[in-house]
């Protein structure tokens, strides 16, 4: 664990007091009603005038540059933190060094760059996030304290009370920006809180311990959370000064030189059976099997970390599909070898993925996931038909051959592209970690009149890093890269939290559609090449009306049974345990083996040995088409 050594003030030091933090990301203006009270007829001018009076003698101090240093606490780690701000333009750079990893984020006035914990760099540039960055810059330059709030639209909301304090609340919408709710302490008049509706959660930031520094009143402690105030991230300022910012302060972060491809290209075999699986050697050991997931990050299971002799650190939380979270730690792997491609000194999250995610029946369990970090560093081609994964160095790469280049953008770590669901365009996540065809985000579907039709299908639980996620199955038309896929299996997702609760995306496309292409991922140039490869036939819909998963090796636990389906007719209930399938012990079968069984041809007889309450019985199902 890294310990803080407070950075000394440099240049024209103005203060040596405590702590602060830059936590500005987006909120969706039309959705603020989820988190804030109704508007009321009032003038925001007196509230902001009082805030300006409490914040200093005049506007002149809120110009020039500002440099802050201190500590950051996050994910059970404490590290050094630093931020530079151009108070005239709102350009900013924030970095944190926790020892085991470092991060950085830069807004250069036009582009926002994120350097993640692995050192990899990618833009945050979706249409939604571009409006976020405008608001972020407005906040960084104290737009609410400037004359006329720099042209932002201001609306007064109902007063609020929390933690024994009373607050005057203003909703501010900078020009071309996203709204942000500003809570001003009615006693001190200082900004005490911001509330922002994010893509999948509400982001609350609390500003405390105001002190005078460089002629300004600044918060020296700022904490932020995603809805759980007991688990905040906290930055505390140790120094503030006026050192002039340079162009280098706001330059794109430099990624590490930590990858090499022997001979300029490496091609390796993959397995494709719903998931895309590739083998890798770690620190010379293995091979270990990993899911290739464009919607995820590099991670190891605790079992794989122990096999490598790693000692993870930290105490964070991770989410994904589903509403739950999992504990997250971090470890470094010296070498990752996939064929002739080698990555050095790689950071992995260590997360106890659900047993159902990693089990492979009688085969060794998966070791984890390879995600964004792989695609940031290389040009990667995924060819489902040939069952290959190819790697090229980014430098000097030029795409050759057929295919359509589709622009990709990012709101976070998953690539987004514009595609059409039932003829309506929207931002769709490209997710090779999705083993199905199409997930339709519930909020988008509701707004586009699809709710009633899509929720009339079968309720289906699915499983991800956030636990069980319930959706409804139906069919939809889907168009991507100029190719139309008619009546694909589509799942309406209505999660309240997690990856399938987005307020800004329309859907998530997975392997049962993507396998009709050879995909070349070129994040450096902001595009993915789609080359159609005809002949792929996606698997049919579950013909048993039965969803089951593994909590342990020897049984499949029944998660749900659709009313009137073959499983219901055979007397199977939720929470039953299936201990054998057609006389084959469940211990030797994987989840994918079971999925193949329930997708057999209509009319097939399926025999299941079922345990319930200590009793065992045999159930015979006659499979039939459930989703025409």
């Amino acid at each position: 664990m890294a310990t803080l050594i407070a950075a000394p003030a440099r240049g024209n030091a103005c203060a040596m007091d405590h702590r602060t933090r830059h936590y500005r990301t987006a909120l969706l203006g039309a959705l603020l009603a989820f988190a804030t009270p109704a508007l009321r007829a009032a003038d925001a001018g007196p509230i902001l005038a009082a805030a300006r009076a409490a914040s200093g003698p005049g506007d002149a101090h809120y110009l020039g540059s500002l440099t802050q240093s201190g500590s950051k606490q996050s994910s059970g780690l404490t590290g050094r933190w630093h931020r530079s701000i151009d108070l005239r333009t709102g350009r900013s750079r924030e970095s944190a060094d926790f020892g085991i990893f470092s991060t950085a984020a830069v807004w250069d006035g036009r582009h926002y760059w994120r350097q993640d914990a692995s050192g990899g760099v990618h833009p945050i540039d979706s249409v939604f996030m571009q409006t976020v960055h405008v608001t972020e810059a407005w906040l960084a330059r104290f737009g609410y304290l400037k004359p006329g709030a720099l042209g932002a639209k201001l609306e007064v909301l109902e007063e609020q009370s929390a933690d024994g304090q009373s607050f005057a609340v203003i909703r501010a919408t900078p020009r071309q920006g996203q709204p942000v709710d500003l809570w001003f302490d009615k006693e001190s008049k200082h900004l005490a809180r911001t509330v922002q509706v994010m893509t999948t959660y509400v982001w609350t930031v609390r500003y405390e311990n105001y002190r005078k520094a460089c002629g300004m009143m600044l918060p020296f402690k700022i904490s932020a959370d995603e809805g759980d105030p007991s688990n905040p991230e906290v930055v505390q300022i140790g120094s503030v000064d006026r050192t002039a910012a340079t162009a280098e302060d706001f330059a794109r972060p430099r990624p590490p030189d930590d990858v090499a491809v022997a001979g300029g290209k490496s091609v390796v075999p993959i397995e494709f059976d719903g998931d895309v699986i590739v083998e890798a050697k770690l620190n010379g050991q293995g091979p270990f099997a990993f899911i290739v997931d464009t919607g995820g990050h590099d991670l190891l299971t605790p079992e794989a970390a122990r096999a490598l002799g790693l000692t993870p650190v930290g105490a964070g939380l991770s989410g994904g599909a589903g509403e739950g979270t999992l504990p997250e730690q971090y470890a470094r792997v010296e070498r990752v070898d996939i064929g002739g491609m080698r990555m050095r000194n790689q950071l992995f999250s260590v997360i106890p993925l659900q047993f159902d995610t990693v089990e492979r029946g009688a085969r060794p369990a998966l070791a984890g996931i390879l995600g964004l970090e792989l695609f940031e560093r290389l040009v990667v081609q995924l060819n489902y038909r040939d069952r290959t994964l190819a790697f090229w160095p980014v430098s000097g790469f030029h795409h050759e051959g057929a295919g359509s280049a589709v622009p990709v953008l990012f709101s976070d770590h998953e690539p987004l592209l514009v595609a059409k669901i039932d003829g309506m365009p929207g931002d769709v996540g490209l997710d090779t970690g999705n083993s199905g065809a199409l997930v339709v985000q519930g909020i988008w579907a509701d707004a586009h009149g699809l709710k009633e039709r899509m929720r009339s299908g079968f309720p289906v639980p699915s499983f991800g890093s956030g636990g069980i996620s319930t959706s409804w199955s139906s069919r939809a038309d889907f168009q991507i890269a100029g190719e139309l896929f008619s009546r694909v299996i589509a799942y309406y997702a209505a999660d309240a939290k997690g990856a399938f609760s987005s307020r800004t995306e329309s859907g998530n496309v997975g392997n049962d559609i993507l396998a009709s292409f050879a995909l070349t991922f070129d994040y450096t140039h902001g595009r993915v090449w789609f080359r159609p490869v005809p002949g792929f036939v996606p698997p049919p819909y579950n013909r048993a009306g039965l969803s089951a998963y593994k909590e342990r090796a020897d049984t499949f636990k029944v998660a749900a049974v659709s009313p009137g389906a073959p499983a219901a007719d055979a007397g199977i209930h939720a929470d039953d345990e299936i201990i054998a399938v057609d006389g084959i012990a469940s211990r030797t079968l994987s989840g994918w083996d079971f999925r193949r069984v329930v997708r057999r041809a209509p009319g097939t007889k399926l025999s299941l040995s079922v345990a319930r309450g200590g009793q065992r019985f045999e159930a015979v199902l006659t499979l039939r088409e459930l989703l025409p």
Side-chain angles (χ1 to χ4, degrees):
M1 178 181 294
T3 56
L4 171 69
I5 303 175
R10 56 192 177 100
N12 179 25
C14 300
M16 295 292 291
D17 284 306
H18 287 66
R19 311 155 180 181
T20 200
R21 153 145 207 210
H22 167 75
Y23 255 150
R24 317 287 192 203
T25 345
L27 75 157
L28 198 58
L31 296 167
L32 270 169
F34 285 119
T36 57
L39 302 174
R40 66 187 180 90
D43 182 7
I47 299 173
L48 295 184
R52 283 194 294 270
S55 296
D59 184 53
H61 291 289
Y62 291 86
L63 299 174
S65 298
L66 188 68
T67 301
Q68 300 166 308
S69 297
S71 69
K72 178 178 180 179
Q73 296 174 328
S74 178
S75 301
L77 301 171
T78 300
R80 289 187 290 267
W81 174 89
H82 183 83
R83 180 174 66 166
S84 297
I85 306 172
D86 180 344
L87 296 174
R88 184 180 61 86
T89 64
R91 293 183 302 168
S92 65
R93 180 187 186 93
E94 180 182 353
S95 60
D97 183 354
F98 294 100
I100 185 73
F101 64 80
S102 300
T103 62
V106 174
W107 167 243
D108 66 8
R110 294 185 60 193
H111 305 100
Y112 186 99
W113 302 101
R114 176 183 293 171
Q115 185 164 39
D116 59 45
S118 77
V121 178
H122 69 281
I124 303 296
D125 56 357
S126 69
V127 172
F128 170 66
M129 291 304 295
Q130 289 182 48
T131 62
V132 167
H133 303 323
V134 171
T135 295
E136 193 169 56
W138 182 84
L139 288 165
R141 60 197 290 207
F142 300 97
Y144 52 93
L145 297 178
K146 301 292 180 67
L150 299 178
K153 177 183 177 182
L154 304 174
E155 302 167 287
V156 178
L157 308 185
E158 292 180 359
E159 294 182 357
Q160 294 292 298
S161 297
D163 304 323
Q165 295 174 281
S166 296
F167 304 92
V169 184
I170 293 174
R171 178 170 297 166
T173 307
R175 293 170 179 167
Q176 299 181 327
Q178 286 291 325
V180 55
D181 282 5
L182 311 173
W183 293 36
F184 292 92
D185 187 297
K186 294 193 69 176
E187 182 176 346
S188 71
K189 315 303 182 186
H190 294 310
L191 180 65
R193 187 177 302 190
T194 59
V195 179
Q196 301 172 297
V197 177
M198 306 294 288
T199 56
T200 60
Y201 55 88
V202 175
W203 188 245
T204 300
V205 184
R206 293 170 173 83
Y207 305 84
E208 304 174 68
N209 197 13
Y210 273 82
R211 299 180 184 180
K212 191 169 185 178
C214 299
M216 300 179 288
M217 291 297 294
L218 299 173
F220 278 72
K221 176 182 178 182
I222 302 181
S223 59
D225 67 77
E226 298 180 2
D228 180 7
S230 67
N231 185 39
E233 294 187 338
V234 180
V235 165
Q236 302 198 66
I237 292 177
S239 63
V240 180
D241 67 60
R242 286 287 198 173
T243 302
T246 67
E248 182 63 24
D249 287 327
F250 307 121
R252 180 181 186 271
R254 295 178 181 175
D257 180 14
D258 59 3
V259 64
V261 181
K265 179 181 180 180
S266 178
V267 181
V268 298
I270 61 169
E271 294 181 34
F272 174 53
D273 188 6
D275 291 322
V276 176
I277 307 294
V278 70
E279 290 189 340
K281 287 190 174 182
L282 277 60
N283 292 346
Q285 300 182 52
F288 298 90
F290 289 87
I291 294 174
V292 179
D293 183 2
T294 54
H297 284 280
D298 287 359
L299 65 87
L300 291 169
T301 64
E303 294 78 11
R306 284 194 292 270
L308 292 166
L310 303 177
T311 303
V313 300
L317 294 174
S318 176
E323 298 185 13
T325 58
L326 293 170
E328 180 176 19
Q329 294 184 290
Y330 310 95
R332 287 273 176 186
V333 174
E334 292 180 8
R335 300 191 319 277
V336 178
D337 291 292
I338 305 176
M341 187 275 291
R342 171 172 291 182
M343 297 187 293
R344 302 177 300 277
N345 190 27
Q346 294 299 295
L347 181 79
F348 280 77
S349 295
V350 180
I351 297 176
L353 294 173
Q354 288 88 352
F355 184 76
D356 186 77
T357 300
V358 299
E359 66 83 23
R360 296 198 292 169
R363 303 173 66 189
L366 296 171
I369 290 173
L370 295 175
L372 171 69
E373 294 77 6
L374 188 71
F375 294 87
E376 285 177 318
R377 289 164 166 77
L378 297 153
V379 175
V380 181
Q381 184 178 84
L382 171 57
N383 192 316
Y384 293 86
R385 173 66 60 82
D386 293 346
R387 301 291 195 267
T388 58
L389 201 63
F391 306 101
W392 292 267
V394 169
S395 177
F397 174 81
H398 297 284
H399 182 270
E400 297 179 355
S404 300
V406 178
V408 293
L409 304 171
F410 293 86
S411 287
D412 192 5
H413 58 265
E414 180 183 70
L416 302 175
L417 48 81
V418 175
K420 293 182 178 180
I421 300 173
D422 279 353
M424 293 175 284
D427 287 343
V428 173
L430 194 165
D431 187 3
T432 62
N434 172 1
S435 58
L438 178 66
V439 176
V440 181
Q441 297 281 3
I443 291 174
W444 182 89
D446 295 354
H448 288 79
L450 300 178
K451 178 178 181 178
E452 184 175 352
R453 178 177 68 79
M454 299 199 75
R455 287 195 67 151
S456 65
F458 290 102
V460 180
S462 58
F463 311 94
S465 59
I468 295 179
S469 173
T470 299
S471 57
W472 283 261
S473 56
S474 60
R475 291 194 181 273
D477 292 340
F478 183 73
Q479 186 172 359
I480 187 171
E483 300 290 322
L484 177 63
F485 297 84
S486 297
R487 294 184 52 75
V488 300
I489 299 172
Y491 297 92
Y492 169 98
D495 290 353
K497 297 180 181 179
F500 295 148
S501 66
S502 176
R503 301 178 178 99
T504 61
E505 297 170 21
S506 62
N508 180 288
V509 58
N511 292 324
D512 282 352
I513 290 175
L514 298 176
S516 293
F517 301 94
L519 302 171
T520 303
F521 298 84
D522 184 359
Y523 285 3
T524 299
H525 296 99
R527 61 196 176 199
V528 175
W529 290 85
F530 285 72
R531 177 169 62 84
V533 180
F536 174 73
V537 178
Y541 187 72
N542 181 328
R543 289 167 170 151
L546 166 69
S547 296
Y549 65 103
K550 278 195 168 184
E551 288 184 324
R552 60 180 193 269
D554 58 343
T555 66
F556 291 97
K557 184 175 181 178
V558 177
V561 177
S562 299
D569 294 344
I572 296 176
H573 299 167
D575 295 327
D576 285 350
E577 294 187 335
I578 299 170
I579 56 180
V581 180
D582 284 339
I584 302 173
S586 295
R587 179 181 300 277
T588 66
L589 299 173
S590 70
W592 282 110
D593 292 330
F594 187 82
R595 293 180 190 102
R596 278 190 293 273
V597 165
V598 297
R599 291 168 173 169
R600 289 174 180 169
T604 300
K605 300 289 186 181
L606 176 61
S607 178
L608 303 178
S609 299
V610 183
R612 180 192 301 160
Q615 302 296 314
R616 176 171 171 169
F617 66 94
E618 299 298 313
V620 178
L621 290 67
T622 302
L623 302 183
R624 69 174 185 268
E625 209 68 74
L626 297 176
L627 193 66

